[in-house]
Amino acid sequence: MRRRSRLIKMKKRKIKRLIALFIGVIIIIAVAVTLSLTVFFHVDNVAVTGDEVYSSEDVIDASQINIGDNMFMTSKKKAAAGIESTLPYVETAEIKRNLSGTITIKITAATAKLAIDNGDSFTLVSDKGKVLEDGLMTIGDGIIIIDSSPVVSAVPGENVEFQDNDDLGIIKNVLTLLDSNELSGITSIDVSNHSNVKMVYKERVTVLLGLSSTINDKMNFVKAALTRLDSDNPDFTGSIDFTIDKKAYLSPQREDNTTIPFLSP
């Protein structure tokens, strides 16, 4: 009985020591966290790198990061979103912390690539779909005019929204394919009918692509056909129909509207 009593007492003391140790660890952690949030890891400097589309002061103001803020209480996601929405010509802002006290903001500029014709003005849009400016009277060279379903929202700093939610995705896909195939000279893209997506090449050749879901398999062939057309008939005006797989039908702009096979494998 005495031995059993000693074992019980030893077990109780062991449990008390473990509880005391656990509480001590919790206190140490709490103190460390408190010191981190109140004494250590303050923001001493904010540096802006990358594309210089706005002044460093404007970028820092838009981030709402202040000297003296706690680094770990500063939301990188919120700061980046603030910059991207406040400064339209910033496509992305990447925030990095350094324990030395410096926060670095890396800026990637938005590329003006698209324009929506509103009739009396233009809305300028980046290649990623971000609205850069609204109410422009003129646009620069190399900007592609887009025809789509009605615009629902075109707020600078935010993505453009169309009545048909698939429009932007199709436009971005076409731009990606044009870039990957190194096909330039496209002056407009029409996605108002997803069954008959169109482009205009050098303001004189209408390119009929057909279903939006088949464009990925056609763009290399489209480039080959347009390259050959530039070589054989650089002044051609009319349309090329690519709606039939691996075939191109040429329709010169003339009264009889004759359609003839142009290029096929």
Side-chain angles (χ1 to χ4, degrees), residues 114-125 134 136-137 139 144-148 151 162:
L114 307 168
I116 302 168
D117 189 347
N118 302 313
D120 57 351
S121 66
F122 295 94
T123 299
L124 194 62
V125 181
D134 194 22
L136 294 176
M137 295 298 105
I139 54 175
I144 299 173
I145 302 294
I146 55 176
D147 191 3
S148 62
V151 175
F162 300 103

Side-chain angles (χ1 to χ4, degrees), residues 87-252:
L87 307 176
Y89 277 90
V90 172
E91 192 70 66
T92 60
E94 183 182 356
I95 314 293
K96 291 185 177 180
R97 303 186 186 100
N98 189 302
L99 294 181
S100 65
T102 296
I103 285 184
T104 302
I105 305 173
K106 183 180 179 181
I107 298 299
T108 300
T111 302
K113 190 69 176 180
L114 307 168
I116 302 168
D117 189 347
N118 302 313
D120 57 351
S121 66
F122 295 94
T123 299
L124 194 62
V125 181
S126 79
D127 55 344
K128 305 300 182 184
K130 186 179 184 181
V131 178
L132 305 179
E133 293 184 64
D134 194 22
L136 294 176
M137 295 298 105
T138 59
I139 54 175
D141 296 333
I143 302 298
I144 299 173
I145 302 294
I146 55 176
D147 191 3
S148 62
S149 62
V151 175
V152 175
S153 175
V155 179
E158 300 179 3
N159 277 357
V160 62
E161 295 182 20
F162 300 103
Q163 191 175 78
D164 191 319
N165 294 328
D166 293 331
D167 283 3
L168 182 56
I170 296 172
I171 293 169
K172 290 167 69 174
N173 183 50
V174 171
L175 291 178
T176 299
L177 292 171
L178 292 176
D179 184 59
S180 62
N181 286 279
E182 298 181 343
L183 177 54
S184 59
I186 300 301
T187 53
S188 70
I189 299 173
D190 183 350
V191 297
S192 58
N193 181 355
H194 296 178
S195 298
N196 188 21
V197 176
K198 305 174 186 176
M199 302 188 302
V200 175
Y201 178 67
K202 294 185 176 179
E203 297 185 347
R204 57 182 174 80
V205 182
T206 300
V207 180
L208 308 177
L209 296 173
L211 288 168
S212 61
S213 59
T214 65
I215 296 176
N216 290 37
D217 300 324
K218 295 178 179 178
M219 200 60 74
N220 186 54
F221 181 58
V222 170
K223 181 186 178 181
L226 293 175
T227 300
R228 177 172 169 180
L229 181 66
D230 281 341
S231 176
D232 296 348
N233 191 356
D235 297 322
F236 172 83
T237 299
S239 65
I240 308 179
D241 190 338
F242 292 94
T243 55
I244 298 177
D245 189 38
K246 297 302 180 182
K247 293 187 182 297
Y249 289 91
L250 197 67
S251 297

Side-chain angles (χ1 to χ4, degrees), residues 54-71:
Y54 295 97
S55 69
S56 296
E57 291 77 11
D58 287 341
V59 173
I60 295 171
D61 286 345
S63 74
Q64 296 187 343
I65 298 174
N66 300 304
I67 301 298
D69 288 349
N70 183 270
M71 297 192 71

